[in-house]
Amino acid sequence: MAKGPDAFRTISEAADEVGVAPHVLRFWETRFSVIRPMKRAGGRRFYRPQDVALLKSLRVLLHDRGLSIREVQQLARVEGVRALVSRAESGPESVPEQVPAASVIVPEPAHLVAAPSPAPAPSGPDDEGLRRLAAARDDLIAVKRRLDALLST
């Protein structure tokens, strides 16, 4: 008997629907904090329809479009989960060759850093800064929910 479109899926059912092995879904959970299936007391995972849609989008971006895990993580951090889903649903031209450099912070070695220049006048956050703040807020809210769930059991 087939499940309805709003029914929760076990990990094997979600894996079949996404087109990957169950161990791949468990691995993705360790790499992408946006994947949060419901877990029962015994640790059994149940995926909501929106979880399966996100997993399908990740498969498209990682397997079909060839993006690296780090690139997809950065896209999720900078643009959010909805942007990942919309990029996967749209054509390959919507995925940039590289994630914008502004989202990657690489510290300079101490011996190469020049003397500090005077600090620029403070200004308000730009659109990208606001997106990054919103993403950080969402991540903190998700962590709080997980902690609350762990503490309540």
Side-chain angles (χ1 to χ4, degrees):
M1 176 160 88
K3 287 187 174 182
D6 294 332
F8 286 23
R9 308 282 192 253
T10 63
I11 191 167
S12 59
E13 292 168 337
D16 288 343
E17 196 170 327
V18 172
V20 296
H23 73 271
V24 173
L25 298 184
R26 287 189 291 273
F27 173 74
W28 285 354
E29 278 182 47
T30 67
R31 296 296 184 245
F32 301 102
S33 61
V34 295
I35 302 173
R36 294 181 215 105
M38 291 182 49
K39 289 187 183 177
R40 298 303 247 172
R44 189 168 177 173
R45 294 164 171 84
F46 288 96
Y47 294 87
R48 296 172 289 265
Q50 62 266 29
D51 294 329
V52 175
L54 174 60
L55 292 169
K56 286 179 180 179
S57 299
L58 288 174
R59 185 192 52 78
V60 167
L61 293 173
L62 293 168
H63 293 198
D64 299 345
R65 306 267 173 80
L67 270 67
S68 69
I69 289 176
R70 178 166 283 171
E71 289 171 324
V72 176
Q73 287 171 332
Q74 290 171 351
L75 284 171
R77 211 174 299 126
V78 172
E79 298 182 13
V81 176
R82 288 188 181 135
L84 286 181
V85 174
S86 67
R87 281 181 185 267
E89 290 173 353
S90 61
E93 64 279 352
S94 69
V95 178
E97 288 296 318
Q98 216 172 27
V99 176
S103 65
V104 181
I105 300 171
V106 180
E108 289 288 329
H111 67 282
L112 296 178
V113 176
S117 59
S123 64
D126 58 353
D127 288 341
E128 180 182 339
L130 291 174
R131 276 195 301 270
R132 292 177 76 187
L133 284 172
R137 182 199 63 219
D138 293 344
D139 288 344
L140 288 171
I141 290 170
V143 168
K144 183 183 182 307
R145 284 187 191 134
R146 283 185 169 175
L147 288 172
D148 289 342
L150 287 171
L151 293 173
S152 68
T153 57

